């Protein structure tokens, strides 16, 4: 944990020197969380020089700014920029700690815990005051607690994760579905193999948390979001939701075709995208194999969701969407022998981290290395 934390602290120092202090981390989406860290229940469209465009959307993700508000002693403006960074730094450190304990429990080296904590989607969140580090830590805590049978605490952690970043609630849906549909050993099909019956994995059914562990976070989030949208309805009506989901794989193929047509311009993104796709592919192999049924269901859903998005030209987008599938895939692969695709995951994650760190150091400035060509 100390090594992971130290490397991320070095990134924070280097980025702060490059962008002129921690205020330089407050960019784009991070500006909304900065506003909410000043006043989590604000009803002002504009404050501190920042105007909300989708206030109900941002306020529904209250977990991160609310934590920063508390860390800044009630949203003191002089302390908020540091609090936003500190919360994410500590979340990454806690992720490394929990992951190391899980790795040791699976008979692996504690260094395996550095893998999910070093995923570059968390680095993007750290460098731009975003929700991914805290949401990722809460999601990993949820999975660890559920595996150990602490279901009430797991429900509480997943509720907090959902109020931080709603994409984590895919796990809540998976818990509910897994409580209804039993998991079976792949390849055993009743009626095809004579006398074959569905074979439940040893301990698999017991590894699935009770249905209410998924229902509670979904209900709390639905209630919170409904209340938030209602209070903003007369101030700034929420714009219509435009779904960006498409046919899985189509947008990725389309982007790769565009990259081939403009190889020099797209080389920085391709250098980031290739190891990212390889890491996602390794994580996705965990869908088939041993592991709690709800975790494998959630991983399959996250991979399907990721491949259906038109995000492949923007590294910070696909890295952030990759946080949950990478974390789940890593956790499921812990139970596999060290041979096989899992061996490549640490090296791939390290490569993605290094490329992301160099490309995002001066973001959003274009005055980065090689005249801004390598930078985002």
């Amino acid at each position: 944990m100390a090594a992971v934390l130290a490397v991320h602290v070095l990134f924070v120092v280097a980025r702060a020197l490059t962008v002129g202090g921690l205020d330089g981390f407050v960019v784009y989406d991070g500006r909304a969380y900065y506003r909410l860290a000043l006043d989590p229940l604000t009803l002002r469209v504009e404050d501190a020089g920042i105007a909300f465009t989708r206030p109900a959307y941002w306020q529904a993700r209250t977990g991160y700014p609310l934590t920063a508000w508390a860390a800044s002693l009630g949203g003191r403006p002089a302390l908020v920029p540091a609090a936003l960074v500190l919360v994410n730094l500590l979340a990454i450190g806690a992720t490394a700690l929990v992951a190391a304990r899980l790795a040791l429990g699976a008979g692996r080296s504690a260094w395996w815990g550095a893998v999910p904590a070093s995923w570059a989607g968390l680095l993007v969140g750290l460098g731009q005051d975003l929700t991914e580090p805290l949401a990722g830590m809460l999601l990993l805590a949820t999975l660890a607690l559920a595996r150990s049978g602490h279901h009430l605490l797991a429900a509480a952690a997943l509720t907090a994760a959902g109020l931080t970043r709603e994409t984590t609630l895919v796990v809540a849906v998976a818990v509910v579905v897994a409580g209804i549909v039993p998991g079976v050993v792949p390849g055993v099909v009743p009626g095809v193999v004579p006398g074959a019956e569905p074979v439940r994995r040893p301990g698999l059914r017991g590894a699935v948390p009770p249905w209410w562990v998924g229902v509670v976070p979904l209900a709390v989030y639905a209630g919170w979001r409904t209340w938030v949208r209602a209070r903003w309805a007369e101030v700034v009506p929420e714009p219509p939701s435009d779904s960006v989901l498409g046919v899985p794989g189509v947008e990725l193929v389309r982007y790769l075709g565009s990259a081939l047509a403009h190889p020099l311009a797209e080389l920085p993104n391709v250098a980031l995208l290739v190891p990212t796709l390889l890491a996602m592919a390794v994580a996705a192999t965990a869908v088939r194999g041993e592991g709690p049924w709800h975790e494998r269901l959630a991983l399959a859903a996250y991979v399907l969701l990721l491949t259906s998005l038109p995000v492949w030209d923007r590294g910070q987008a696909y890295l952030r969407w990759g946080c949950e599938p990478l974390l789940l895939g890593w956790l499921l692969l812990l139970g596999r022998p060290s041979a096989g695709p899992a061996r490549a995951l640490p090296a791939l994650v390290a490569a993605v981290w290094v490329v992301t760190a160099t490309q995002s150091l001066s973001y959003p400035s274009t005055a980065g290395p090689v005249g801004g060509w390598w930078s985002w």
Side-chain angles (χ1 to χ4, degrees), residues 122-307:
L122 306 185
L123 188 69
V124 174
L126 175 63
Q128 298 180 36
D129 290 343
L130 302 174
T131 59
E132 284 76 16
L134 183 59
M137 183 273 288
L138 291 167
L139 183 59
L140 183 59
T142 296
L143 298 170
L145 289 165
R147 283 188 168 204
S148 61
H150 296 94
H151 296 138
L152 186 59
L153 291 175
L158 188 52
T159 300
L163 294 175
T164 301
R165 184 171 175 84
E166 71 284 347
T167 55
T168 59
L169 293 175
V170 169
V171 172
V173 175
V175 169
V176 176
V177 173
I180 301 171
V181 182
V184 298
V185 174
V188 178
V189 182
V192 175
V193 179
E197 295 293 335
V199 180
R200 290 173 174 78
R201 302 177 182 279
L204 177 62
R205 192 65 178 161
V208 176
W211 59 269
W212 55 264
V213 174
V215 169
V216 169
L218 291 170
V220 171
Y221 175 76
W224 169 253
R225 184 180 178 187
T226 299
W227 181 76
V228 167
R229 294 184 69 174
R231 70 194 300 261
W232 279 102
E234 295 182 4
V235 183
V236 179
E238 188 79 359
S241 176
D242 297 321
S243 176
V244 295
L245 294 178
V247 178
V250 169
E251 292 298 334
L252 175 58
V253 172
R254 183 175 294 149
Y255 169 73
L256 292 176
S258 174
L260 287 173
H262 307 90
L264 185 61
E266 296 299 326
L267 180 58
N269 186 52
V270 171
L272 180 60
L273 179 59
V274 169
T276 297
L277 290 176
L278 290 173
M280 289 294 112
V282 171
T285 63
V287 169
R288 288 182 61 85
E290 301 295 333
W293 178 224
H294 65 288
E295 293 180 6
R296 292 185 290 120
L297 274 176
L299 175 58
Y302 279 125
V303 171
L304 183 63
L305 185 62
L306 176 63
T307 56

Side-chain angles (χ1 to χ4, degrees), residues 80-102:
V80 166
L84 288 165
V85 174
L86 179 63
V87 167
N88 276 342
L89 265 178
L90 293 178
I92 289 173
T95 299
L97 179 62
V98 174
R101 291 176 63 87
L102 287 168

Side-chain angles (χ1 to χ4, degrees), residues 1-13 89 118 123 126 353 357:
M1 184 192 88
V4 170
L5 196 56
V7 170
H8 284 84
V9 168
L10 286 176
F11 172 79
V12 167
V13 172
L89 265 178
S118 299
L123 188 69
L126 175 63
W353 194 97

